[in-house]
């Protein structure tokens, strides 16, 4: 099952990719498939026929894990 990650790249708009497993702290790069913007549009500086991308860690500010529909919904604090 693919995991969707939203990569916040230095000086760029966030890019959504799919990975087979979560990146490990010992990895030197993040390798993902189907790069696109969050709205589904093609990334402007990546050719449309490219399906796999490699980003080095030093270019990534933040990685967000996008929840899938299969994951259990987690509720936050509740106050009356």
């Amino acid at each position: 099952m693919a995991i969707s990650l939203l990569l916040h790249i230095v000086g760029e708009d966030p890019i959504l990719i799919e990975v087979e497993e979560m990146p490990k702290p010992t990895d030197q790069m993040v390798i993902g498939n189907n790069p696109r913007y969050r709205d589904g549009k093609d990334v402007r500086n990546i050719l449309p026929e490219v399906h796999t991308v490699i980003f080095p860690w030093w270019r990534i500010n933040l990685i967000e894990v996008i929840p899938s529909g299969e994951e259990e919904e987690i509720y936050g604090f509740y106050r009356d």
Side-chain angles (χ1 to χ4, degrees):
M1 181 178 94
I3 301 167
S4 296
L5 300 178
L6 188 62
L7 302 180
H8 293 264
I9 308 296
V10 176
E12 298 287 332
D13 292 329
I15 297 174
L16 187 65
I17 63 169
E18 296 171 357
V19 296
E20 290 300 318
E21 61 183 39
M22 293 293 287
K24 297 173 186 60
T26 57
D27 291 344
Q28 297 293 315
M29 62 200 84
V30 176
I31 301 172
N33 299 318
N34 302 323
R36 62 198 180 279
Y37 290 119
R38 190 161 186 178
D39 60 2
K41 295 181 181 177
D42 290 337
V43 180
R44 65 180 169 270
N45 57 352
I46 298 176
L47 296 173
E49 59 268 13
V50 172
H51 296 287
T52 303
V53 291
I54 301 171
F55 291 102
W57 276 118
W58 63 271
R59 294 280 297 153
I60 300 171
N61 280 338
L62 172 71
I63 297 178
E64 292 183 66
V65 180
I66 306 297
S68 67
E70 298 175 359
E71 293 181 2
E72 182 179 321
E73 187 173 339
I74 299 173
Y75 294 98
F77 293 105
Y78 177 76
R79 291 176 65 166
D80 284 333

